[in-house]
Amino acid sequence: MDETFQLPANGSFSFAGRTALVTGGGRGVGEAVAREIHAGGGRVAVSDIDLAVAQAVAGSLDATGATAVALPLDVREKDHFLTALDAITGRWGKVDIVVNNAGFAKRTPTQEISPEEFDAIVQINMRSVFLSCQIFSEHMRANGYGRIVNITSLAGQNGGTVASPHYAASKAGAIMLTKYFARYLAGTGVTVNAIAPGPIDTAKARLSPEQIARVEAEVPAGRFMAVGEIAAATALLASDRGGFFVGATLDMNGGLYLR
Ligand SMILES: NC(=O)c1ccc[n+]([C@@H]2O[C@H](COP(=O)([O-])OP(=O)(O)OC[C@H]3O[C@@H](n4cnc5c(N)ncnc54)[C@H](O)[C@@H]3O)[C@@H](O)[C@H]2O)c1
């Protein structure tokens, strides 16, 4: 298996006239999603807690800032979402698409997880989805159009095999928030959906060669998902053509979990 396997952004879906916010867009899945939407003709606000990486991605998409801009956004902070909404509407008039991608996994042995660490993981992976949906749903409802895509995890569906309990629980909560907001907004032109990925290429940097080989042996598809594959699925859910997905969770796990 070619370990450098990637899919370039090809803009298969049209985002002409659309504006998008991607959280955690400075690298990995978020970067790939930002590139995909931009390749489809969309304007993209690349946000990240690390402004420098967001600036690198946005600058590589459009150094003039006309169609891509970097924003500092820590998804634990409600004020940061409000500031991002103001910044994007000030620049481009509206927010059509929000991809809640930023997330954080910590593998702490179960008996060593403190209440503070549990709360911190929930804040990043789950409360962030609530804050984002709460804020952008009102803006999108008023516009009569919106697409929200939440990047969750297989761990939120099956409890996780290597993932820690706080990560699995926070991602399960994000899937439920997806369903809640999908129903809350159904019929308004605003859709809310999720993707539940299994192992993605980006995780390889954090794993030993032995761990990588073990994952590849466990996944029926025999490999990790390329970020371009999850970017393509996100583009479908975020596109005009994805309007009949309402509260769905797309399984992208190479056959690890079939339901
Ligand atoms: N990598 C995997 O195998 C895998 C599997 C299932 C689900 N996921 C989920 O997919 C999403 C993307 O994963 P990835 O592998 O690209 O992650 P990554 O760690 O490569 O990138 C995450 C990005 O989010 C940013 N970030 C971290 N904390 C933030 C915060 N508080 N506010 C804003 N930005 C923050 C980081 O700076 C980074 O740019 C995450 O939600 C992750 O939980 C990943």
Side-chain angles (χ1 to χ4, degrees):
M1 189 65 57
D2 176 13
E3 298 223 337
T4 61
F5 172 62
Q6 293 288 330
L7 295 178
N10 65 15
S12 295
F13 292 91
S14 173
F15 294 102
R18 298 291 180 206
T19 66
L21 168 69
V22 182
T23 69
R27 68 169 192 229
V29 172
E31 175 181 357
V33 167
R35 292 191 183 284
E36 188 74 37
I37 293 173
H38 194 264
R43 291 170 296 200
V44 184
V46 183
S47 73
D48 206 285
I49 193 172
D50 180 348
L51 182 59
V53 292
Q55 283 170 329
V57 172
S60 75
L61 291 175
D62 181 353
T64 72
T67 61
V69 67
L71 296 177
L73 196 168
D74 179 344
V75 295
R76 293 169 296 187
E77 304 291 340
K78 184 172 183 177
D79 285 356
H80 291 201
F81 281 111
L82 290 167
T83 304
L85 172 61
D86 280 352
I88 301 168
T89 52
R91 182 178 280 256
W92 293 321
K94 60 184 176 143
V95 181
D96 297 304
I97 298 160
V98 173
V99 180
N100 292 309
N101 161 75
F104 187 67
K106 197 160 171 29
R107 283 205 200 136
T108 306
T110 303
Q111 298 304 327
E112 293 169 24
I113 297 172
S114 67
E116 292 74 21
E117 182 181 308
F118 191 95
D119 289 350
I121 294 295
V122 168
Q123 279 186 24
I124 295 177
N125 294 329
M126 186 176 88
R127 195 184 70 176
S128 61
V129 172
F130 170 71
L131 294 174
S132 177
C133 290
Q134 185 187 39
I135 290 165
F136 289 102
S137 61
E138 283 320 289
H139 172 78
M140 291 173 172
R141 188 203 292 273
N143 290 341
Y145 183 88
R147 297 279 183 265
I148 298 175
V149 183
N150 300 323
I151 306 300
T152 65
S153 175
L154 168 62
Q157 297 176 303
N158 73 355
T161 46
V162 288
S164 294
H166 42 8
Y167 181 78
S170 66
K171 291 294 190 179
I175 290 172
M176 287 306 138
L177 287 166
T178 302
K179 295 184 185 194
Y180 174 80
F181 277 98
R183 243 195 229 115
Y184 174 68
L185 294 161
T188 65
V190 184
T191 66
V192 187
N193 293 288
I195 296 179
I200 309 171
D201 267 355
T202 52
K204 283 185 182 170
R206 298 185 281 268
L207 300 175
S208 68
E210 295 73 29
Q211 288 171 315
I212 291 172
R214 205 177 315 135
V215 171
E216 286 172 344
E218 278 172 12
V219 178
R223 62 174 175 84
F224 287 65
M225 173 159 59
V227 289
E229 292 175 304
I230 185 168
T234 304
L236 165 63
L237 295 177
S239 71
D240 288 6
R241 299 176 70 188
F244 209 61
F245 290 102
V246 176
T249 298
L250 296 196
D251 299 349
M252 296 191 81
N253 56 47
L256 264 176
Y257 177 66
L258 303 174
R259 59 181 174 125

